[in-house]
Amino acid sequence: MKNKCELCTSRANTYCESDQANLCWSCDANVHSANFIVEKHSRTLLCHICQSPTPWTATGRKLSPTISVCQSCLNAQNNVADNHQDSSDGYRRDNDNDDDENQVVPLSPPPVSSSSK
């Protein structure tokens, strides 16, 4: 089920229990910057793939857009990756990263450093 933002019908990225609302990044920032009380609302990040709640929570005026993945989607993607790890020589290549932890990755690319000569 795809969750829509309660205010603008864009794709929801967070769920605020206090407001009982799914919100996109923009509406979340607008709502939770209204005053210091709502700024303290704890919001749950929604899975980027299936939009189910993840264990990741945050508070503050503006949450940075991130990609969070729930354990089920992470396991499903790991299973797909495991099926494709056989190399052309027939030997399985083990993945060194066997952590079953959720990961949060910023949506924006890292800043580009310019070198002046």
Side-chain angles (χ1 to χ4, degrees):
M1 175 169 81
K2 298 296 179 187
N3 296 317
K4 299 285 184 183
C5 176
E6 306 283 342
L7 300 176
C8 72
T9 68
S10 293
R11 186 177 203 273
N13 302 105
T14 66
Y15 176 75
C16 178
E17 179 68 35
S18 298
D19 297 326
Q20 295 184 355
N22 291 311
L23 299 168
C24 68
W25 295 121
S26 178
C27 291
D28 181 87
N30 289 337
V31 167
H32 292 102
S33 63
N35 61 54
F36 72 96
I37 294 176
V38 294
E39 180 181 326
K40 295 178 182 180
H41 287 180
S42 177
R43 278 97 78 204
T44 301
L45 300 181
L46 301 178
C47 177
H48 181 71
I49 298 168
C50 71
Q51 288 191 296
S52 64
T54 67
W56 299 97
T57 60
T59 61
R61 286 181 177 258
K62 182 176 180 182
L63 300 180
S64 296
T66 59
I67 295 176
S68 55
V69 180
C70 70
Q71 192 65 47
S72 296
C73 290
L74 183 64
N75 290 341
Q77 289 199 351
N78 283 341
N79 288 339
V80 169
D82 287 345
N83 290 336
H84 295 297
Q85 282 185 353
D86 291 336
S87 65
S88 59
D89 60 5
Y91 292 98
R92 179 182 170 89
R93 304 290 186 224
D94 287 332
N95 186 354
D96 290 337
N97 186 6
D98 288 336
D99 295 336
D100 285 338
E101 303 264 332
N102 290 334
Q103 298 179 3
V104 175
V105 180
L107 282 176
S108 59
V112 177
S113 62
S114 60
S115 58
S116 58
K117 292 183 182 183

